[in-house]
Each structure stands twice: as C-alpha cells, then as structure tokens.
Amino acid sequence: MPAEASTSRPAAPPLTERQEARRRRILHASARLAGRGGFDAVQMREVAESSQVALGTLYRYFPSKVHLLVATMQDQLERMHGTLRKKPPAGATAAERVAETLMRAFRALQREPHLADAMVRALTFADRSVSPEVDQVSRQTTAIILDAMGLADPTPEQLSVVRVIEHTWHSALITWLSGRASIAQVKIDIETVCRLIDLTDPAAARP
C-alpha cells in the first residue's frame, strides 16, 4: 500500500556500517522477544536493553512497536529469500515453483508461531504512518515470488497476479494463526491461487 504524500516520511540517508549493525541488533532482539511470547512480549524498553541501545535511539530507528515488528517481518523475509536462492524450488512450472516457495516460507514461519503471529498482527495494525515499512514487506514478498517464477521483467498483468497471490498468502497466514485453517487447507489455497500464473504465461496460452 503506497503512502500518501501527506503521510510519507522523507527518505532517510543510507546507514553507516555502525548504524546498520545497531539496526540489526534491534531487529534480532525484536525477533527473539516475539519468538518467546508473541506481540505482547515485544516491549520497546526491553528491546532497547536487549540490543544495547538507548531507548531514544531505538525510537529514532522505529517510532513504534508496530514499525519495529513490520521491519522485523521484512528482515525475516529477506533471510528466507537468501535461503531460497541457495536452494531454488524444483517445480516444473512457474505456478508449481511459486506454490512450493510460499509453502516453504510458510513452514519456516510455522516453526516460530509466536514470532509469526506478532509480525502478522503488526502488519494488520499498521496505519499509513507505517506505509514505508509495509511497502518493504510487499516488495520483498514480490521479489521472492518473481524469483520463483523466473521473471526479471514482469508485465503489469503478471504483477497484478503476484499481488493477488501475496494477498492470498497473507490471508492464509491469518486464518492459520487464528486456528481457522489447517496446513492442508493453506496448501490447497496457495496452489489454487498460483494457477493464475498460467493465465499470464504466453507459453501456456492456448492457440
């Protein structure tokens, strides 16, 4: 969801090596606390203490817990992307590869349900002030899907399909975390929505 001009924050200058190391400590502390006790366990003061930064410094990096946890989700997705690149999906079609990729990402989140719940709740609570962080999550998810599709230059129609797949994956996470869907049902839903990819594949088009 793109930020409106009146609510977007100015682009921050690139972080120095020391600042980037500090940011990574903060994100690591956030993930560790969320993994132990979910959304409520992530308290800004405790994050600051655990990452060895001043509370005021933490708020300069992340204005709220929601900002922090959405950024944590982006960081976790980036880590997953690195893992997926080392071991790409083996499906014969783009649809199969994307479904396999998203289920591998889902199972990674399944291994840490408290962390997954905290990050998804933050994404759900995010208002317009968190748009830059939400956009980063969306861009990372898009990159993961496009890599699985093998696309470097997607068409507008293909990007539209990717967005629908993203929405379905996010919804599947929510329904699973709330106990309203089984892993088997999530897999069916992901595989079903990924078939939309075939509609945008010229090689799969019927004569």
Side-chain angles (χ1 to χ4, degrees):
M1 60 181 79
E4 295 183 0
S6 59
T7 57
S8 60
R9 300 197 300 272
L15 297 179
T16 66
E17 186 176 339
R18 184 176 179 182
Q19 289 170 329
E20 180 60 33
R22 184 182 297 132
R23 184 178 185 274
R24 298 214 64 80
R25 289 204 310 273
I26 292 169
L27 292 173
H28 180 72
S30 169
R32 186 171 62 251
L33 290 168
R36 290 176 184 171
F39 186 86
D40 293 336
V42 180
Q43 301 298 321
M44 296 296 271
R45 185 172 297 280
E46 192 169 349
V47 171
E49 291 174 356
S50 181
S51 56
Q52 298 179 318
V53 302
L55 185 59
T57 300
L58 172 59
Y59 277 109
R60 284 198 295 274
Y61 280 83
F62 303 103
S64 73
K65 180 166 78 170
V66 169
H67 288 82
L68 173 58
L69 282 168
V70 173
T72 301
M73 185 169 193
Q74 190 276 331
D75 183 61
Q76 293 293 311
L77 287 171
E78 187 176 341
R79 291 168 183 265
M80 286 181 198
H81 198 181
T83 300
L84 289 164
R85 280 173 168 162
K86 292 176 183 176
K87 188 180 179 182
T93 67
E96 290 174 357
R97 292 193 299 273
V98 172
E100 180 187 338
T101 292
L102 292 179
M103 286 309 299
R104 282 168 62 182
F106 186 88
R107 290 188 180 99
L109 292 171
Q110 184 189 7
R111 287 192 288 271
E112 294 197 73
H114 291 307
L115 174 59
D117 182 64
M119 295 187 301
V120 171
R121 283 178 66 182
L123 202 62
T124 303
F125 294 156
D127 60 20
R128 289 176 180 173
S129 73
V130 197
S131 286
E133 289 80 6
V134 172
D135 287 346
Q136 286 289 338
V137 168
S138 180
R139 279 192 288 270
Q140 188 66 60
T141 308
T142 296
I144 289 171
I145 294 172
L146 290 177
D147 263 12
M149 291 172 69
L151 279 180
D153 189 22
T155 65
E157 185 181 17
Q158 288 168 328
L159 284 175
S160 181
V161 166
V162 169
R163 284 193 295 271
V164 173
I165 293 171
E166 285 183 40
H167 296 326
T168 302
W169 187 67
H170 181 227
S171 177
L173 276 175
I174 292 174
T175 54
W176 172 72
L177 286 166
S178 63
R180 293 182 286 120
S182 65
I183 300 298
Q185 185 60 57
V186 168
K187 187 172 187 292
I188 291 170
D189 291 350
I190 293 299
E191 290 176 345
T192 299
V193 75
C194 285
R195 293 192 190 111
L196 289 174
I197 293 171
D198 293 338
L199 301 179
T200 67
D201 183 0
R206 295 179 180 177

